[in-house]
Amino acid sequence: MDLQTLTYIIVGATFSLYIAIAFWARATTTGEFYVAGKGIHPVANGMATAADWMSAASFISMAGLIAFKGYDASVYLMGWTGGYVLLAMLLAPYLRKFGKFTVPEFIGDRYYSQTARIVAVICLIVASITYVIGQMKGIGVAFSRFLEVDFTVGLLIGMTIVFFYAVMGGMKGITYTQIAQYCVMIFAYTVPAIFISLQLTGNAVPQLGLGSTLADGSGTTMLAKLDSVLVGIGFAEYTAQKGTSLNMVLLTLSLMIGTAGLPHVIVRFFTVPKVKDARSSAGWALVFIAILYTTAPAVGAMAIYNMIKTVQVDEVGAPQGNLAYAERPDWFKNWEKTGLLKYEDKNGDGRIQYYNDKNEEFAAQAESFGWKGNEMVKIDRDIMVLANPEIAKLPNWVIALVAAGGLAAALSTAAGLLLAISSAISHDLLKGVFRPGISEKKELLAGRIAMGGAILVAGYLGMNPPGFAAQVVALAFGLAASSLFPALMMGIFNKRANNTGAVAGMLVGLGSTLVYIFMYKGWLFIPGTNNFADTAEFWVMGIQPESFGAIGALLNFITAYVVSKVSKAPPEHIQHLVEDIRVPRGAGASSSH
């Protein structure tokens, strides 16, 4: 059976399963729509959280970043998993004990202020829409390849499907759908990794294969060979640190506290029956996430190795050393159709030269070979995981399975984020502030309309995203880190923190981070509106925009602390409430809404 037909069958079967589950578990009350009726088992919730978490950034983009950045991309692994430890220890149990539907609801009640609640909604929407832009980029990449259409067409089709099942199911439908999506995703990610690890190293465990000796009889390890291949075409060693230590530390910190401040992840811990279950859910989520995250470095390294070996067929500089463009494999042609892979014959020899033409020393050597510049003028990093099994010539059913996994990853997180945006607008703003007497039916309708609007905004920005999927998601984490995390932490652990301090802190944290990001990425992420080039020479103190969330969080903490100290203390009952949240026992049922 040909690849296209097989892909349609496997993707069609998985989608039918998701839609059937969404319909079977569709929400009938606001409690089911927002928090699945608070009746999800911790293991099931851990698996759903893992699917919610392992977005297009994790499944599609992270290994692509690792492939091109090497050692430096390890910060994404450390930050995104370390954040779960923070979440499990510092936030999840306390927020579940407080027993509200949403993060802005907690902030509004804890800081006894509708203003604080509205500011929290704004922070949530800004962080979540930025995150959805990254998912939309992933959805566009996956659909464009799977349907063999242009990226924009793929994105529009993906938007329609997201709207259909996210709007229908609410949190109850999304939770059970995400359990199915996790199973599809993890199978789709690990099966090709096992095949490729066996091909290259003879070791069936990709995590071990990465450090194993190659099966070609050379006696060289996989990483040592990759280092020499990259150096041979002018790139830095794969295992070398290329960025500054300051940026690596700040980005890791930003991703960690951003994880603990992301509303669509936190709301997952409101769906379990008891406070104790919130902590065990976080533990289970980390186990399920670790399966993919420990495999990603091997996937990235083996993908870039196989891609270079495809175009560099013999010795560097030899007349026949590079693949003739006319003989390029089918995977190359298929990705060219999407516009995400582009070749330009700069020296007119009809062969594909891929090398680092920005390395002046190697560029001079390349000129002696008759090369006129790097001819792979566009390799979108987000294609690497989806192209990987095709590059390695794996069976068609494996390639089709990866397409299904990529779609599941992008759709599962997009649905969770859209629900967070929808509940912020309908539950926190409409019901909580502007129309307290609204009926459940009208509240659900408002939530679904808000979801539709969010899809349109994120889809439009996803057509011209401010970076690769994982980079855009890192910006969203920075925004969550700088705005919501300090307010949540101080709300639980500092009874002196008051409404004025919280509002001032959130506005300073969000404002400073947004301005810093927009200066380099474009105002409102619109291309061409940036004030400075997004390169190290223009960054303030060498801090890249993706890393600034940690600085924004620090400014938030300082502002909230100082303003709270010099203004009126919170009322007595709020101070008792803060002490009560931290008492481990005696947590009863959730409070009414």
Side-chain angles (χ1 to χ4, degrees):
M1 194 182 292
D2 71 287
L3 175 58
Q4 191 70 358
T5 309
L6 201 56
T7 307
Y8 274 113
I9 291 169
I10 291 179
V11 171
T14 56
F15 267 62
S16 303
L17 176 65
Y18 307 150
I19 289 167
I21 291 170
F23 188 76
W24 163 73
R26 69 191 182 281
T28 52
T29 68
T30 49
E32 288 186 343
F33 189 81
Y34 294 133
V35 290
K38 295 192 170 80
I40 307 294
H41 190 278
V43 177
N45 194 48
M47 199 176 280
T49 306
D52 205 343
W53 179 246
M54 292 189 315
S55 58
S58 294
F59 187 97
I60 295 174
S61 191
M62 187 170 62
L65 271 181
I66 293 170
F68 288 92
K69 283 178 170 277
Y71 173 82
D72 283 10
S74 60
V75 295
Y76 289 91
L77 299 169
M78 293 185 292
W80 280 337
T81 48
Y84 261 92
V85 179
L86 280 183
L87 193 56
M89 294 290 102
L90 300 179
L91 292 181
Y94 306 114
L95 291 173
R96 173 61 190 87
K97 185 177 176 187
F98 193 78
K100 294 292 182 182
F101 275 158
T102 66
V103 170
E105 198 170 15
F106 167 79
I107 287 174
D109 285 8
R110 160 60 185 88
Y111 293 109
Y112 52 97
S113 162
Q114 292 289 37
T115 307
R117 186 171 182 160
I118 292 167
V119 171
V121 169
I122 293 165
C123 295
L124 183 151
I125 291 170
V126 169
S128 297
I129 285 190
T130 306
Y131 202 143
V132 181
I133 295 168
Q135 303 318 305
M136 289 299 176
K137 168 76 195 300
I139 287 170
V141 170
F143 271 100
S144 61
R145 170 63 193 92
F146 152 53
L147 298 171
E148 295 189 1
V149 292
D150 182 70
F151 170 74
T152 306
V153 178
L155 178 55
L156 291 169
I157 293 165
M159 282 164 64
T160 309
I161 289 170
V162 170
F163 178 77
F164 177 74
Y165 93 86
V167 167
M168 188 170 76
M171 182 57 92
K172 189 178 177 190
I174 287 171
T175 297
Y176 289 109
T177 305
Q178 284 176 333
I179 292 167
Q181 285 169 329
Y182 175 81
C183 297
V184 171
M185 262 193 284
I186 210 68
F187 195 60
Y189 203 82
T190 52
V191 167
I194 290 166
F195 269 101
I196 295 167
S197 184
L198 275 170
Q199 265 185 5
L200 291 175
T201 67
N203 194 322
V205 182
Q207 291 90 332
L208 300 176
L210 182 61
S212 298
T213 307
L214 287 169
D216 59 3
S218 63
T220 313
T221 63
M222 170 74 214
L223 285 173
K225 180 69 173 175
L226 181 55
D227 278 347
S228 70
V229 165
L230 284 167
V231 169
I233 52 173
F235 291 97
E237 286 184 339
Y238 187 80
T239 52
Q241 182 180 326
K242 303 157 202 70
T244 65
S245 296
L246 174 67
N247 260 324
M248 290 188 79
V249 170
L250 287 177
L251 182 54
T252 306
L253 192 58
S254 186
L255 295 174
M256 279 178 75
I257 62 178
T259 302
L262 267 179
H264 80 288
V265 175
I266 291 172
V267 78
R268 280 251 151 252
F269 299 103
F270 299 160
T271 65
V272 290
K274 298 195 293 293
V275 174
K276 184 183 147 205
D277 296 339
R279 196 165 267 161
S280 59
S281 277
W284 280 110
L286 200 53
V287 169
F288 293 126
I289 289 165
I291 299 170
L292 185 141
Y293 271 52
T294 54
T295 310
V299 171
M302 292 171 185
I304 193 73
Y305 178 76
N306 276 334
M307 192 207 78
I308 293 169
K309 298 307 282 181
T310 301
V311 295
Q312 191 65 54
V313 290
D314 206 341
E315 192 181 332
V316 176
Q320 310 297 314
N322 298 78
L323 180 73
Y325 181 67
E327 294 168 16
R328 69 196 187 284
D330 286 342
W331 68 264
F332 198 110
K333 295 174 189 171
N334 291 334
W335 281 106
E336 280 183 305
K337 287 178 196 169
T338 67
L340 298 169
L341 182 67
K342 288 179 184 168
Y343 160 78
E344 185 186 319
D345 191 1
K346 293 181 177 177
N347 64 348
D349 68 349
R351 294 185 175 273
I352 303 168
Q353 280 97 40
Y354 174 62
Y355 66 100
N356 183 10
D357 54 7
K358 292 183 177 63
N359 177 341
E360 290 175 14
E361 194 180 319
F362 186 79
Q365 192 182 341
E367 213 170 314
S368 70
F369 302 148
W371 298 358
K372 304 286 185 196
N374 173 37
E375 298 181 341
M376 300 270 281
V377 290
K378 182 174 184 181
I379 309 173
D380 194 299
R381 294 172 187 181
D382 293 342
I383 75 172
M384 292 306 288
V385 168
L386 297 177
N388 196 19
E390 292 181 271
I391 298 170
K393 300 184 178 71
L394 296 187
N396 280 353
W397 68 268
V398 178
I399 299 167
L401 182 66
V402 173
L407 294 171
L411 293 172
S412 65
T413 305
L417 285 160
L418 291 165
L419 190 72
I421 295 167
S422 142
S423 61
I425 292 171
S426 63
H427 188 71
D428 290 304
L429 281 187
L430 200 61
K431 188 178 177 70
V433 180
F434 300 116
R435 292 188 60 192
I438 192 171
S439 67
E440 278 209 351
K441 194 172 180 183
K442 285 185 177 170
E443 189 187 340
L444 278 175
L445 176 65
R448 286 171 170 149
I449 292 169
M451 228 182 233
I455 290 171
L456 291 174
V457 171
Y460 171 74
L461 291 168
M463 288 177 194
N464 292 291
F468 302 106
Q471 289 174 314
V472 181
V473 168
L475 295 175
F477 277 73
L479 292 167
S482 64
S483 58
L484 294 171
F485 178 75
L488 291 169
M489 281 293 291
M490 292 185 82
I492 293 166
F493 294 103
N494 184 355
K495 65 180 184 180
R496 185 65 179 77
N498 65 14
N499 53 1
T500 320
V503 170
M506 284 190 285
L507 290 174
V508 167
L510 180 69
S512 59
T513 307
L514 266 182
V515 167
Y516 194 82
I517 288 170
F518 287 162
M519 283 196 312
Y520 298 99
K521 301 288 184 184
W523 292 87
L524 300 177
F525 298 126
I526 296 166
T529 60
N530 53 310
N531 303 90
F532 306 102
D534 189 13
T535 53
E537 61 191 292
F538 293 102
W539 296 335
V540 178
M541 293 173 64
I543 300 168
Q544 63 186 13
E546 289 85 353
S547 304
F548 194 81
I551 304 292
L554 183 63
L555 294 174
N556 184 335
F557 271 120
I558 293 168
T559 305
Y561 182 79
V562 171
V563 173
S564 293
K565 273 286 185 192
V566 298
S567 52
K568 191 179 172 187
E572 202 67 35
H573 73 278
I574 294 292
Q575 298 195 38
H576 285 309
L577 173 76
V578 174
E579 286 175 350
D580 186 53
I581 292 174
R582 297 205 303 270
V583 175
R585 298 194 182 279
S590 305
S591 56
S592 60
H593 303 280

